[in-house]
Amino acid sequence: MNSPARIATIFRREFAAYFTSPLAGIFLVIYLFMSAVLTFQMGGLYERGQADLRPFFQVQPWLDLFLVPALSMRLWAEDRRTGTIELLLTLPFSVRDLVLGKFLAAWAFACVALALTAPLWITVAWLGSPDHGTILVGYIASALMAGTFLAIGAFLSAFTKNQVIAFVLSGVACFLLMVIGFPMLLDFVSGWLPRTAVEAIAAMSVLTHFESMMRGVLDGRDVLYFVSVSAAFLFLNGIVVEWKKAE
Amino acid sequence: MKELIAARGLRKSFGSFEAVRGIDLIVPAGQVLGFLGPNGAGKSTTMRMLTGFLEPTAGTVTLDGIPLADEPIAAKRTFGYLPEGAPAYGDMRVEEFLNFVARARGYVGADARSRVDRSIERLHLEPYRRQLVDTLSKGYKRRTGLAQAILHDPPILVLDEPTDGLDPNQKHEVRELIRRLGDDRAVVLSTHILEEVEAVCTRAVIINEGRVVFDGTPKALDAKAAANVTSNRLDHVFRMLTTSDIGGAPRTKAASR
C-alpha cells in the first residue's frame, strides 16, 4: 500500500470520528448560527446596501479563533490519552501519513462547514449582482486560514493528553498570530522598533494576509504565507509526535 | 529454523535511566516465548522496541529478515501487536475498528470483510461485533485487541499481557489460540502469570533491571528450584532470580561483576 492510500485510511477514520460524537452537529450548528448572526447583526449585511459578503468574511477570523481549536484539540491528545497512538505507530503507517491524514480530515470538516454557508452567497446573488470572483477569493482565504489554524492546533495537540489544554493553547496561539497585525499594536511598537521590523511583524500576521485576500486580491504571496505556515507547523507536528509518543 | 525475530544488543535509556541494558532475542518460527519479569523490568519497553514504537538507544531489530530501522513500513507488516492495555478506538464498533485495521493492513472490499469476519470468529466476538468498543468489558476489549493483532495472519506476534483481565474460561481459550498460532509462527508474549508460561510457552525468558537473567525451557526453569520446594516452584525460582529475598540470588550488582 502506498502513502496516499495510507493517508486515505487515516483520513477516513478521523473524518468519521467527528460524526461519532455530538461534536460535528454542535460545531456545525454553532458555526452557521454565529456566522449568520454576526454577518447580519454586527456586519449589517442588508443595511450596507451592497451586494457582497464582506461582513461575513470579516467575522471569519474571530469565529475560527473559537471553533477551529475545537476541531484540532482531539487530533493527537485523544490518541495519546487512550494509548491508540501506540497502535497507530506500530501499524504500517509513517508519522507523515498520520500527520497528513489527521490534518486533512480536520480541514475537510472545516471546509464542509464553510461550504454550508453557501446560502449567504446565493442570497446576495439573488438580491444584487455581487463580484463572484471576490467572494470566491474570500472563501479560498477562509479555507486557507482555517487550515493554518488547524495545523497550529494539531501541532499543539501533540504536546498533551488533555484536550482542554490543547483547546486553550491553540486558541491563544491563533489569537497571537492574529493580533500581531493589529494597527493598535503596530502603532505601539513602531515607536521604538525600526520600520522594517514593524513591517516584518505585520507580515507575520494572519489578519494582514486574510484581509488583503478578503478584498478579492488573489496574491501569490498571501497564499504562500498560509501554505508555508501550515506546512511548517505540520512538519513540527511530526517531530513532536515522535518526541512525545511514549510519555 | 528461520529466525523471524532477531534483536541484538537492545538498549534503551530514558534520560539518565537505563530501562533496557543489552538484550538479545532470537526467536525462530514455531516458538512461543514467554517474557517474564517484575514490573518495571523493561518488558514493555523491549516489546515496544521490537515493534518499532520506540527506537532503541543501541542495537538492531530484524523482523522476518527486514531491518526495522531501515524499512519500518515493510517490517511493520510482518507482525501483529497487542500493546499494553489493548488500546482501541472506543468510538468505533468492534467491526468498524477491525475494518480500519484491515484497511491499514492494505485489505479492501471483500478481502477486508473476510479478514474481519475470520478474526471475529476466531476470538468469539460475533455477539459483540456491532457494539462500541468503549462499552465492552475488559475481557472483550482485550479480545478485540487480539483480533486486531492476528487479522492479517502475520508470521510474528508480539502480545503484551494477552490474558490480563480475562476470566478463567477466556484465559483458557486465548491460551489455546496462542498455542495453535505458535505452531508455525514466532510468538512473544509477556505475562505475570507463571503457570501461563508452563501452559503455552516453549521458551521462557526472565528479565530483571533491563537484563536477561534466565533463558531456557519452562522445564529448565522449574528444575532450578530446590527439590524441597514443593508448591509454587516457578514463583520460587522467579523470586530467586529477580530479588534478593532468597539466598543465592544473582542480584544485579553481583551479576554485573
Side-chain angles (χ1 to χ4, degrees):
Chain A
M1 200 166 60
N2 51 10
S3 186
R6 298 196 301 260
I7 293 169
T9 302
I10 292 295
F11 175 90
R12 281 169 58 122
R13 140 76 206 156
E14 293 292 325
F15 191 73
Y18 284 115
F19 295 93
T20 55
S21 73
L23 183 71
I26 293 173
F27 180 92
L28 290 174
V29 168
I30 292 180
Y31 174 73
L32 295 174
F33 178 75
M34 293 297 285
S35 282
V37 167
L38 293 174
T39 303
F40 288 103
Q41 296 296 319
M42 267 176 58
L45 186 76
Y46 285 140
E47 291 79 358
R48 291 171 76 240
Q50 287 180 34
D52 64 12
L53 282 183
R54 194 97 179 246
F56 167 72
F57 291 124
Q58 238 151 11
V59 298
Q60 288 306 303
W62 303 102
L63 273 178
D64 279 6
L65 206 53
F66 293 98
L67 292 174
V68 164
L71 293 182
S72 60
M73 64 182 184
R74 50 163 288 283
L75 285 178
W76 296 100
E78 182 71 358
D79 277 308
R80 287 195 47 205
R81 188 180 64 81
T82 61
T84 42
I85 184 99
E86 187 166 357
L87 191 72
L88 287 179
L89 288 170
T90 52
L91 283 168
F93 292 120
S94 66
V95 170
R96 205 190 63 161
D97 298 334
L98 300 174
V99 168
L100 288 177
K102 280 170 177 279
F103 167 76
L104 290 174
W107 195 37
F109 187 87
C111 289
V112 167
L114 204 56
L116 288 175
T117 64
L120 279 174
W121 191 349
I122 296 167
T123 304
V124 291
W126 184 57
L127 291 172
S129 47
D131 180 351
H132 291 291
T134 303
I135 293 180
L136 184 66
V137 174
Y139 269 104
I140 293 172
S142 302
L144 287 174
M145 180 175 59
T148 302
F149 285 176
L150 281 172
I152 294 170
F155 162 72
L156 291 168
S157 172
F159 276 96
T160 173
K161 292 180 182 180
N162 186 324
Q163 295 193 33
V164 178
I165 292 176
F167 177 86
V168 173
L169 287 179
S170 309
V172 170
C174 295
F175 179 70
L176 287 175
L177 201 59
M178 274 170 60
V179 296
I180 55 173
F182 267 31
M184 210 169 65
L185 194 101
L186 291 175
D187 285 346
F188 177 67
V189 295
S190 63
W192 31 274
L193 274 183
R195 235 178 79 102
T196 45
V198 176
E199 274 168 7
I201 291 173
M204 286 305 293
S205 166
V206 172
L207 275 187
T208 314
H209 297 278
F210 181 75
E211 275 168 358
S212 88
M213 284 186 83
M214 198 180 75
R215 284 192 284 271
V217 189
L218 190 60
D219 187 334
R221 280 172 300 179
D222 295 326
V223 175
L224 186 71
Y225 166 82
F226 287 117
V227 172
S228 54
V229 173
S230 305
F233 276 102
L234 290 177
F235 175 75
L236 293 174
N237 187 348
I239 293 174
V240 177
V241 169
E242 288 277 9
W243 173 40
K244 288 278 188 181
K245 63 189 177 184
E247 284 175 23
Chain B
M1 269 306 224
K2 195 176 168 202
E3 284 178 6
L4 287 176
I5 302 175
R8 293 190 172 85
L10 283 189
R11 287 175 177 275
K12 183 70 190 178
S13 304
F14 298 101
S16 61
F17 172 67
E18 205 173 12
V20 175
R21 312 173 182 204
I23 286 185
D24 296 286
L25 219 49
I26 311 292
V27 190
Q31 196 170 76
V32 179
L33 187 152
F35 205 38
L36 299 157
N39 284 328
K43 296 193 297 289
S44 288
T45 303
T46 304
M47 292 175 121
R48 285 172 161 183
M49 288 192 282
L50 291 180
T51 54
F53 182 60
L54 291 178
E55 291 81 32
T57 309
T60 58
V61 176
T62 306
L63 300 169
D64 199 7
I66 304 167
L68 180 61
D70 301 331
E71 295 169 62
I73 299 221
K76 284 171 182 176
R77 295 201 177 105
T78 64
F79 63 80
Y81 177 37
L82 176 74
E84 191 178 14
Y89 283 117
D91 59 350
M92 289 176 125
R93 296 176 198 286
V94 170
E95 63 177 359
E96 286 170 348
F97 172 66
L98 294 176
N99 232 314
F100 163 73
V101 175
R103 287 185 62 92
R105 296 275 180 205
Y107 300 107
V108 286
D111 253 5
R113 269 195 300 281
S114 74
R115 288 277 167 184
V116 169
D117 287 345
R118 193 171 134 78
S119 223
I120 282 176
E121 193 188 317
R122 280 168 117 176
L123 273 304
H124 306 288
L125 282 163
E126 193 55 47
Y128 303 93
R129 68 183 294 155
R130 304 281 306 147
Q131 199 167 321
L132 287 176
V133 170
D134 257 350
T135 64
L136 293 174
S137 66
K138 202 176 169 196
Y140 280 99
K141 199 180 162 207
R142 186 128 330 216
R143 286 202 209 189
T144 305
L146 277 164
Q148 163 275 121
I150 64 167
L151 187 124
H152 57 304
D153 258 313
I156 297 168
L157 281 172
V158 180
L159 311 171
D160 204 343
E161 302 192 347
T163 60
D164 187 40
L166 301 184
D167 68 36
N169 297 332
Q170 294 172 329
K171 270 193 181 124
H172 178 75
E173 275 174 37
V174 167
R175 283 175 193 167
E176 285 298 311
L177 176 71
I178 292 171
R179 232 202 318 259
R180 274 202 309 277
L181 292 168
D183 279 346
D184 51 354
R185 291 179 178 77
V187 183
V188 174
L189 66 93
S190 76
T191 180
H192 281 299
I193 312 160
L194 289 159
E195 47 161 304
E196 192 155 293
V197 176
E198 275 186 307
V200 293
C201 299
T202 55
R203 179 178 167 194
V205 170
I206 299 180
I207 65 167
N208 188 38
E209 295 179 349
R211 284 192 189 87
V212 174
V213 292
F214 176 86
D215 185 352
T217 61
K219 237 193 193 98
L221 188 64
D222 183 81
K224 283 185 85 84
N228 58 7
V229 182
T230 52
S231 64
N232 294 328
R233 285 172 59 87
L234 288 181
D235 285 347
H236 183 86
V237 178
F238 183 81
R239 280 203 306 281
M240 194 172 87
L241 290 168
T242 59
T243 67
S244 49
D245 287 359
I246 300 169
R251 243 334 237 188
T252 326
K253 275 191 190 122
S256 61
R257 214 178 281 146

